[in-house]
Amino acid sequence: MAISQDDLFKKLVAHSKEYGFIFPSSEIYENGLAAVYDYGPYGVELKNNIKEYWWRAMTQMHENIVGIDSAIFMHPTTWKASGHVDAFNDPLVDNKDSKKRYRADVLIEDALSKIEDKIRKEVEKAAKRFENFDEAMFRTTNTRVVEYQQKIDAYETRLGNAMKSNDMADLKAIIEELECTCEVSGSRNWTDVRQFNLMFNTQLGNVAGEEGKLYLRPETAQGIFVNFLNVQKSTRQKIPFGIAQIGKAFRNEIVARQFIFRMREFEQMEMQFFVRPGTQVEWYNYWKEARLKWHKMVNPQEKLRYKDHDNLAHYADAAVDIQFEFPFGFKELEGIHSRTDFDLNSHQKYSGKKLQYFDPELNESYVPYVVETSVGCDRMFLATLSNAFQEEAVPDANGEEASRTVLKLHPALAPVKCAILPLLKNKEELTAKATEVFNQLKIHVKCQYDEKDAIGRRYRRQDAIGTPYCVAIDFETLENDTVTIRDRDTMLQERVKIADLPGIILAKTNMAQLLS
Ligand code: ATP
């Protein structure tokens, strides 16, 4: 059953709440806190499995990558050295009538995508009019389309330059030229564009004023950089080696929408790989490929693509995003950045402490170069969930046409691996046997026991949370110690011995399937 992307997204958000994956934060108070979300009972299981897949792929599959868990609070000078105090800004603009705040670059990009819509409409119209329609030719020869495209290209270049040179006046000029309007007031009454720092800050209790100002980390990477020598010395790593970390990050995002795609509190899975200067291109290419492979084990190749950065951050000499096709289009899922020796050098300068590595092969000391891989755990969650979410036409128990909602999650990531279902609730022999099977299995994998409602409805409930296998205990079980296993995706059932169950379920749901 085909559903539009818009509908899919709405259904996904509703499904996430109804089935205990994601709840809006503190929702009982005026619909909650914008752009902050809580993970429910199934959500936390799925999220933990995603983290485990990443953690093992990094630290277990690479002998030269080790993990850390650094604190959220860091010495405030860290953020001066990293450039976040001075350069971690978004340009914002307010509509004077509605008081609604926008990110200037997003407002401009939205206006440009409206021009792109016009092109698309022209193309659709022409495609209907002409037989053997050649879209590429039409796009390069139709005067109106060419003019639209030139306009988009020119403004994109100007936007890129204005962002790079912090030219707030030009951003305002572009907003006026493109006649951007506020979606709430409908007016074009804008304030000047100004820079807004994305770091949240708080205050130490025992130190007053600027001195006691602390930041909530906007990325986990700096906790890795400042610990570079601690880790290298305590684990006697030789370059090249990596440090991996999963942890919370905080950004005071101005435009926070699209569910868990852009949140103010989120989780990152970052790995910094320290290499010999001059070898960074080779390692950048290695990690670019390795990271796409990791994603392709879970999500289909056609929904993943690379997007090179047009504007490089102050610390990078190369950067690429792995984008995923979310229900609202292709967007960044992971960033791979060649960060040069910027961070370590800068921490050396600000701290006055050496952050160098003595290379025994070269017999010299140097500040290593760094290749970073950084993926948002929540974005990975959203990508995986939206790809898994499907509505299918299936016959019901009487053979009538019906539908089911199913999460076709990879079995290793599914929140519950196996549901144990006695055929009937009020037959003591069946429920006792089912409890026995449940107790045997639960020491191996995350299981769920369910005896409420007809078995068909219980299968649907498990489909809706993505449980890959359902084990039914019926009257034959009582005779010969066999059960049926139902496969979530094919809905086919197979009869197996109870004694073989742990082996079968473990083999099918083990993380090794993703790692191999
Ligand atoms: P964007 O351009 O979408 O704001 P970014 O380029 O600022 O993202 P990075 O600083 O490269 O993002 O952060 C690394 C990863 O962290 C991103 O690829 C994304 O998956 C995740 N991430 C960043 N900001 C957020 C956020 N506000 N909410 C959820 N995940 C985020």
Side-chain angles (χ1 to χ4, degrees), residues 251 253 261-263 266 268 332-333 337 374 376 379:
R251 295 183 187 178
E253 302 277 5
F261 179 81
R262 190 176 298 287
M263 296 197 284
F266 58 101
Q268 290 186 313
E332 172 175 348
L333 172 60
H337 312 121
S374 174
R379 283 194 194 173

Side-chain angles (χ1 to χ4, degrees), residues 44-111:
V44 68
E45 296 288 346
L46 173 57
K47 193 182 188 200
N48 282 342
N49 292 340
I50 289 173
K51 288 197 243 180
E52 188 188 340
Y53 172 39
W54 184 87
W55 188 257
R56 291 229 230 160
M58 286 296 176
T59 64
Q60 183 176 321
M61 301 303 287
H62 295 92
E63 290 160 57
N64 58 349
I65 299 181
V66 290
I68 62 163
D69 182 15
S70 69
I72 287 171
F73 289 135
M74 299 181 71
H75 191 284
T77 310
T78 309
W79 306 111
K80 195 79 192 144
S82 69
H84 284 83
V85 171
D86 297 319
F88 194 52
N89 300 314
D90 274 345
L92 69 81
V93 60
D94 295 321
N95 182 269
K96 287 186 193 160
D97 300 317
S98 67
K99 308 276 182 272
K100 191 172 159 61
R101 181 160 284 182
Y102 292 83
R103 232 170 87 177
D105 54 328
V106 173
L107 201 58
I108 292 167
E109 270 162 15
D110 284 351

Side-chain angles (χ1 to χ4, degrees), residues 259-472:
F259 198 34
I260 58 169
F261 179 81
R262 190 176 298 287
M263 296 197 284
R264 298 201 164 103
E265 172 180 342
F266 58 101
E267 215 160 353
Q268 290 186 313
M269 307 191 282
E270 294 199 304
M271 194 277 299
Q272 312 293 326
F273 202 68
F274 299 90
V275 306
R276 204 180 262 177
T279 62
Q280 68 271 24
V281 176
E282 182 190 320
W283 284 110
Y284 171 74
N285 289 329
Y286 170 86
W287 282 109
K288 191 175 153 179
E289 206 174 298
R291 292 306 302 149
L292 188 65
K293 264 194 202 150
W294 183 89
H295 286 286
K296 285 202 298 207
M297 292 301 290
V298 174
N299 287 312
Q301 171 150 11
E302 62 274 16
K303 288 194 176 173
L304 293 159
R305 71 178 189 199
Y306 290 124
K307 173 91 168 52
D308 282 317
H309 280 209
D310 300 328
N311 302 310
L312 290 175
H314 58 280
Y315 52 74
D317 69 0
V320 65
D321 290 340
I322 293 177
Q323 293 188 329
F324 177 80
E325 191 177 14
F326 290 96
F328 37 83
F330 271 101
K331 296 267 182 257
E332 172 175 348
L333 172 60
E334 167 152 8
I336 294 131
H337 312 121
S338 175
R339 289 182 83 127
T340 68
D341 55 356
F342 172 85
D343 301 88
L344 289 180
N345 256 336
S346 189
H347 286 305
Q348 275 198 151
K349 197 173 108 200
Y350 277 87
S351 68
K353 305 267 160 49
K354 272 202 169 156
L355 290 173
Q356 297 192 349
Y357 169 78
F358 176 74
D359 193 324
E361 281 171 36
L362 298 182
N363 202 23
E364 65 179 62
S365 293
Y366 54 76
V367 175
Y369 270 50
V370 172
V371 175
E372 163 185 80
T373 73
S374 174
V375 54
C377 183
D378 315 273
R379 283 194 194 173
M380 184 61 194
F381 184 107
L382 183 58
T384 307
L385 195 70
S386 62
N387 181 60
F389 184 88
Q390 292 185 22
E391 286 186 331
E392 285 182 346
V394 288
D396 67 9
N398 309 317
E400 302 285 321
E401 200 174 296
S403 72
R404 68 164 182 165
T405 301
V406 53
L407 294 184
K408 293 196 170 169
L409 294 166
H410 190 288
L413 299 182
V416 176
K417 308 297 184 211
C418 182
I420 315 296
L421 316 172
L423 186 63
L424 299 169
K425 181 184 169 183
N426 43 15
K427 280 270 180 279
E428 166 79 40
E429 315 93 281
L430 291 178
T431 53
K433 190 73 186 171
T435 307
E436 192 187 309
V437 173
F438 173 73
N439 285 333
Q440 263 176 33
L441 262 183
K442 77 177 181 193
I443 52 175
H444 299 284
V445 290
K446 176 90 186 158
C447 296
Q448 196 170 73
Y449 176 88
D450 189 6
E451 57 176 30
K452 196 172 169 280
D453 299 323
I455 193 140
R457 284 186 70 178
R458 282 180 272 161
Y459 282 147
R460 293 289 170 273
R461 273 205 294 269
Q462 295 301 329
D463 289 343
I465 60 165
T467 307
Y469 301 102
C470 286
V471 167

